[in-house]
Amino acid sequence: AARARVMGIAQHAIASGSYGWVIAEGLCLIASTGTTTADTPQMTQASGRFQDWVTGTDGNDIAVGVHALDAEAVAGGTFTGKVSFL
């Protein structure tokens, strides 16, 4: 089955049918599942939040290009990440 490809990180809520700024490269705040370790590659979850990369995990959209710069242990909290999708 085809998987969605992450193209960037929205910096605010974007309503359906609307548009807004999406960070494709640089530093930004990223929503966490609560399992974010500093200096670690990240992957997406179905919730749209990110967590530490887990090798061999199936069913998740892998987000190559997101790297956590700090830690976050609270689900729904944010961490500073380096994004590079360009």
Side-chain angles (χ1 to χ4, degrees), residues 32-82:
S32 173
T33 61
T35 56
T36 302
T37 306
D39 197 30
T40 306
Q42 298 294 298
M43 62 191 282
T44 58
Q45 286 294 301
S47 65
R49 295 183 175 124
F50 285 77
Q51 73 167 49
D52 290 350
W53 176 278
V54 178
T55 302
T57 302
D58 193 24
N60 296 305
D61 298 324
I62 305 303
V64 176
V66 176
H67 195 87
L69 299 180
D70 57 16
E72 180 56 63
V74 177
T78 59
F79 64 93
T80 303
K82 182 176 180 183

